[in-house]
Amino acid sequence: YQIDPSFGTTEDLRELVQEAHKRGMKIVMDAVFNHTGREFFAFEDIMEKGEKSKYLDWYYIEKFPLKSERGEIPNYKCFGYYGGMPKLNLKNPEVEKFITDVACYWIKECNIDGWRMDVGDEISHYFWKNFRRAVKAVKKDMLIIGEIWHYAGDFLEGDEWDTVMNYDAFMEPVTWFLTGMEKHSDEKNESMRGNANSFFGTMRYNMAKFHTPSLMVAMNELSNHDHSRFLTRTNHKVGRASALGVAAASEDINMPLYKVAVLMQMTWPGAPTLYYGDEAGVCGFTDPDNRRTYPWGNADYPLVDYHRDMI
């Protein structure tokens, strides 16, 4: 219910939303409702009090003492088998209410316009149905976006999410078609590059799985925080920063090809979603190299202008 003071105050967020709305822009906040950090108050209480903690049923604890140090196999459910991200028990009505109240709080306090939910497919349909009813009751045109890396139809029947991060019907097909690369830069397949039959067939097949309203607001990304930067994929180097070195991410890039990708992104059905720095020429292999800071004062300004024109 509070903002890290390093980033400002609730009033600052409220002002940001107001100024965005004046310019016809919307603010969608990012949420991780599937798991927390170990520093979250409920998990800290369990760490301190053990089986006597009143938050014991907020998580899936297998036994005590908790194994939570780096390198240990955790004895509680967590995201990605990483002990630093214990999984919330959203089947517990108390936890469900807490999370839903948090989501509604920021709508009421700051008039935000949507939620994007991290690893949404690891949370039950039951929770999402209740969540949708709650947030839409506060603001009926709230946009609910789920992260999912596979078929999403079960979540898009009109009573859970509005749309998804569009991997199947945008990022992956476009990446294979234009670069012949997998979205992490972990694989290259030259037979896919420039293969129009494969591209259009894949797009038709995956776009047909959407209801039209969901398709028209799907997050169409070229890059994001989980994958290599698209500009890096244009160099056809297979690997990651740990093996190739960070400098390799910027070598042999193909800027004209990247501009074609941007043109497709800005004209394809859906909501073109720009990962910060892509417009400025930032490169990077997959996480964490893709999270480089924005090049303030050293951006590729012609590329910034190109993005502005395409938008």
Side-chain angles (χ1 to χ4, degrees), residues 225-237:
H225 62 291
D226 281 325
H227 308 98
S228 59
R229 296 267 182 173
F230 193 95
L231 192 52
T232 290
R233 286 176 232 151
T234 67
N235 68 13
H236 306 123
K237 295 183 186 295

Side-chain angles (χ1 to χ4, degrees), residues 268-282:
W268 204 268
T273 306
L274 191 61
Y275 184 44
Y276 80 95
D278 269 13
E279 78 281 17
V282 174

Side-chain angles (χ1 to χ4, degrees), residues 175-182 187-196 198 233-238 257:
T175 294
W176 284 115
F177 177 57
L178 292 181
T179 71
M181 297 290 292
E182 185 269 339
E187 180 185 348
K188 178 167 64 175
N189 186 337
E190 284 295 327
S191 69
M192 296 287 284
R193 181 154 55 132
N195 188 329
S198 175
R233 286 176 232 151
T234 67
N235 68 13
H236 306 123
K237 295 183 186 295
V238 176
L257 184 63

Side-chain angles (χ1 to χ4, degrees), residues 139-160:
K139 189 173 185 178
K140 66 179 181 179
D141 60 349
M142 277 286 296
L143 184 64
I144 302 175
I145 307 169
E147 182 199 23
I148 185 170
W149 289 23
H150 51 82
Y151 175 64
D154 292 345
F155 294 93
L156 297 176
E157 290 299 322
D159 58 351
E160 295 182 42

Side-chain angles (χ1 to χ4, degrees), residues 48-248:
E48 178 185 344
K49 301 175 182 175
E51 295 180 73
K52 295 182 179 180
S53 171
K54 66 178 182 179
Y55 298 110
L56 195 62
D57 291 334
W58 280 46
Y59 296 90
Y60 297 92
I61 309 297
E62 295 171 3
K63 59 182 178 180
F64 289 93
L66 295 182
K67 294 181 179 180
S68 59
E69 298 300 320
R70 287 186 179 273
E72 288 187 311
I73 298 176
N75 49 9
Y76 48 89
K77 284 187 179 181
C78 48
F79 173 68
Y81 304 102
Y82 175 58
M85 294 186 282
K87 184 176 175 64
L88 283 166
N89 175 16
L90 288 166
K91 295 179 181 178
N92 180 339
E94 187 179 359
V95 181
E96 179 186 345
K97 183 179 185 305
F98 178 85
I99 293 298
T100 303
D101 285 351
V102 166
C104 292
Y105 174 85
W106 292 108
I107 305 170
K108 295 172 184 176
E109 284 293 311
C110 299
N111 196 26
I112 65 168
D113 304 293
W115 282 108
R116 175 266 181 193
M117 283 88 57
D118 197 63
V119 290
D121 59 316
E122 293 193 13
I123 299 174
S124 73
H125 292 289
Y126 177 82
F127 172 82
W128 288 128
K129 291 178 195 300
N130 290 339
F131 179 87
R132 182 185 182 89
R133 282 193 290 268
V135 299
K136 295 280 187 175
V138 179
K139 189 173 185 178
K140 66 179 181 179
D141 60 349
M142 277 286 296
L143 184 64
I144 302 175
I145 307 169
E147 182 199 23
I148 185 170
W149 289 23
H150 51 82
Y151 175 64
D154 292 345
F155 294 93
L156 297 176
E157 290 299 322
D159 58 351
E160 295 182 42
W161 306 343
D162 292 314
T163 193
V164 293
M165 298 175 70
N166 196 5
Y167 290 113
D168 288 352
F170 190 78
M171 182 193 280
E172 292 196 66
V174 170
T175 294
W176 284 115
F177 177 57
L178 292 181
T179 71
M181 297 290 292
E182 185 269 339
K183 61 183 181 291
H184 288 282
S185 292
D186 283 343
E187 180 185 348
K188 178 167 64 175
N189 186 337
E190 284 295 327
S191 69
M192 296 287 284
R193 181 154 55 132
N195 188 329
N197 287 335
S198 175
F199 173 69
F200 283 109
T202 301
M203 282 298 220
R204 286 193 190 101
Y205 177 76
N206 287 314
M207 289 173 72
K209 294 180 178 179
F210 284 86
H211 295 299
T212 300
S214 294
L215 179 67
M216 298 307 288
V217 293
M219 283 180 70
N220 290 348
E221 302 175 292
L222 295 172
S223 316
N224 65 27
H225 62 291
D226 281 325
H227 308 98
S228 59
R229 296 267 182 173
F230 193 95
L231 192 52
T232 290
R233 286 176 232 151
T234 67
N235 68 13
H236 306 123
K237 295 183 186 295
V238 176
R240 303 193 175 197
S242 57
L244 302 178
V246 295

